[in-house]
Amino acid sequence: MSEVLNHKQVGQKITRMAFEIYERNLNSAGVVFAGITGMGMTLAKLLADELKRISPIQVEELEVILDKNEVAKSEIELSQELDLTHKNIILVDDVLNTGKTLVYAMKPFLDLEIQKMEIAVLVNRSHGFFPLRPDYTGFELSTTFNEHIKVDVSGSQHSVQLH
């Protein structure tokens, strides 16, 4: 096991991503961070808090609830009903591996009249099995399929580790 990003580096990545989100969404009616269950939701909260700190953009958060282990069979729900009409949705997950989880996480938004949807991930492993590219990436890391990335942004010491 080796540390890829320490607490300070994770914080810097989140701040940089928040500034990029601010720059690309200056004229939006609002940004909704849609965090995928688990570390995706925790990362979404951190990004939302940072964007609120640095900008006047209206920021909302919700959770995309799904079973990451059986995403194809999982019921996919949103944690709350928000008016998402003409808003920019930023779908957030901790790690982009094959893209399968993110593809399924888009499902609840398909019938809504959103302005646009973007993807934010802390770590992009670049194994794309689906035609997805994150709009905001904290860190690019080429790995083998046997290696695993563990993101922990839940406690007081954030880290990204390679197993």
Side-chain angles (χ1 to χ4, degrees):
M1 179 168 73
S2 62
E3 186 171 70
V4 177
L5 297 173
N6 63 31
H7 180 76
K8 181 180 179 186
Q9 292 167 321
V10 170
Q12 290 169 335
K13 302 293 183 196
I14 290 169
T15 298
R16 182 181 51 76
M17 290 170 70
F19 272 104
E20 288 179 32
I21 291 166
Y22 181 22
E23 289 172 4
R24 290 194 204 167
N25 291 278
L26 282 171
N27 301 317
S28 72
V31 171
V32 178
F33 286 95
I36 295 175
T37 298
M39 283 297 133
M41 186 60 207
T42 306
L43 179 60
K45 285 182 183 300
L46 292 169
L47 285 167
D49 289 347
E50 188 66 13
L51 187 60
K52 288 175 193 172
R53 188 182 71 76
I54 63 172
S55 84
I57 294 174
Q58 179 188 346
V59 177
E60 296 174 280
E61 304 160 35
L62 59 81
E63 182 176 2
V64 180
I65 302 165
L66 52 76
D67 180 351
K68 284 187 170 186
N69 296 320
E70 301 231 9
V71 72
K73 297 177 185 174
S74 174
E75 271 198 46
I76 301 157
E77 302 173 329
L78 301 178
S79 62
Q80 59 184 310
E81 285 191 33
L82 295 176
D83 180 9
L84 303 175
T85 308
H86 305 297
K87 297 219 176 130
N88 296 348
I89 310 298
I90 300 177
L91 191 57
V92 182
D93 205 2
D94 55 344
V95 178
L96 172 55
N97 188 14
T98 64
K100 186 175 186 177
T101 301
L102 283 162
V103 165
Y104 278 92
M106 291 179 186
K107 194 174 181 181
F109 303 100
L110 295 178
D111 294 327
L112 304 176
E113 291 186 38
I114 61 174
Q115 181 71 32
K116 68 177 176 179
M117 179 178 284
E118 297 177 310
I119 296 172
V121 297
L122 187 58
V123 179
N124 182 5
R125 293 183 61 186
S126 306
H127 288 301
F129 289 3
F130 292 85
L132 289 177
R133 299 289 173 263
D135 300 280
Y136 310 101
T137 303
F139 193 70
E140 294 270 348
L141 183 66
S142 294
T143 60
T144 68
F145 284 112
N146 296 333
E147 294 173 309
H148 298 283
I149 297 291
K150 182 172 180 355
V151 172
D152 185 358
V153 290
S154 60
S156 62
Q157 287 298 309
H158 303 156
S159 67
V160 175
Q161 310 225 332
L162 177 65
H163 296 267

